[in-house]
Amino acid sequence: MKPNAESVVDTATNALREAIRYGRFAPGQRLVVADLKEIYGTSAGPIREAITRLAGEGLIDLIPNRGAVVRTFAERDMRELFQVREALEGMVARLAALNAHRADYADQLRALMAKLEAHTRDGDISLSVTREEFHDLLYEMSGNAKLKETAVRLSYPGYGVRYSRLIGAARTQASLAEHQAVADAILAGDPPAAERLMRQHLRNTAIAIQDAIDAAPDFKSAFFGSDERQGSPAN
């Protein structure tokens, strides 16, 4: 059965969003429709619609005479995003603690924590992806689709990859401990503690990023990306 046009657009949008989210397209990089057609094996129409949707989500800038460019964030953007994420994901953790007894959520959460611990110990390149899986599971556990829709608009292009690569071992271990504390509170069915610990985790992450920027100027360009928008425009 041939997929309908909407499902093709949805598939292209989701694939491009994830590529930006995990840093396969860097901040400031131009997105060329002809190239994306080859990458995703679809026609120009769904790619153009996907770009339009992601521009609406704030992940892509549409620049006159240049085309589509992965949005480049500044330090102020980062601070504001983390402030909003702190409130949002604190609520997510609270709701997840209320729903931890449902389905097999508890087993999934324990399995993800074991995976996160292993990747942290081994310095696995999949660490950033596993962290995202942890947060995605909590959104699912929250049972609130609107929270997830809002979170999509707070995606920071390549954040997880850059964070894992540039933050030191001490912060990486501290982050693991913070994730474990949040998971323990959720599994214990303690909504206030889950919310408090998640908010503290995100606050600590924002502070760690800012400290790294202040201590090493090279970190700033590595984390936020270049604003040199090279390549051909989307067409």
Side-chain angles (χ1 to χ4, degrees):
M1 181 176 178
K2 187 176 180 179
N4 61 44
E6 187 64 23
S7 68
V8 172
V9 171
D10 289 342
T11 298
T13 302
N14 291 336
L16 185 54
R17 182 190 295 114
E18 289 303 289
I20 294 172
R21 184 181 183 189
Y22 291 117
R24 290 189 285 276
F25 297 113
Q29 181 174 346
R30 289 189 177 185
L31 300 173
V32 183
V33 170
D35 293 341
L36 296 177
K37 283 170 51 182
E38 295 298 317
I39 292 171
Y40 297 116
T42 189
S43 60
I47 294 297
R48 291 196 182 97
E49 178 60 26
I51 287 172
T52 299
R53 290 186 183 185
L54 295 180
E57 293 180 10
L59 286 176
I60 292 173
D61 288 329
L62 298 177
I63 302 173
N65 301 318
R66 289 191 173 184
V69 178
V70 177
R71 183 180 175 189
T72 299
F73 284 78
E75 289 181 63
R76 178 176 178 177
D77 296 316
M78 184 272 290
R79 288 192 296 269
E80 291 178 351
L81 283 173
F82 268 95
Q83 287 171 348
V84 178
R85 280 191 60 192
E86 182 183 321
L88 183 72
E89 296 201 29
M91 175 60 69
V92 168
R94 172 182 283 271
L95 293 175
L98 291 172
N99 295 327
H101 63 285
R102 297 184 178 179
D104 63 344
Y105 285 146
D107 290 340
Q108 289 187 58
L109 186 54
R110 291 189 185 98
L112 260 180
M113 283 310 307
K115 185 177 176 182
L116 186 59
E117 182 176 3
H119 287 174
T120 301
R121 181 184 63 246
D122 299 337
D124 195 291
I125 59 173
S126 299
L127 178 57
S128 63
V129 175
T130 307
R131 285 197 186 111
E132 292 292 341
E133 289 175 355
F134 175 90
H135 289 271
D136 286 345
L137 176 59
L138 298 198
Y139 277 105
E140 181 182 339
M141 292 173 68
S142 77
N144 189 319
K146 295 301 180 185
L147 285 172
K148 178 63 175 177
E149 289 174 13
T150 303
V152 165
R153 296 178 178 274
L154 300 176
S155 296
Y156 195 110
Y159 154 70
V161 175
R162 287 175 175 77
Y163 179 74
S164 295
R165 186 180 300 150
L166 299 171
I167 291 293
R171 176 58 201 159
T172 298
Q173 289 296 326
S175 178
L176 173 63
E178 291 164 9
H179 280 85
Q180 185 64 66
V182 172
D184 289 344
I186 290 171
L187 293 170
D190 189 341
E195 179 173 7
R196 173 176 54 80
L197 290 164
M198 178 60 85
R199 291 180 69 115
Q200 187 62 57
H201 163 62
L202 290 167
R203 195 174 306 132
N204 290 345
T205 298
I207 291 170
I209 293 171
Q210 190 63 60
D211 286 348
I213 291 170
D214 293 341
D218 289 346
F219 184 98
K220 183 173 182 177
S221 60
F223 191 86
F224 293 108
S226 171
D227 201 27
E228 295 177 3
R229 299 171 179 183
Q230 301 175 353
S232 302
N235 50 54

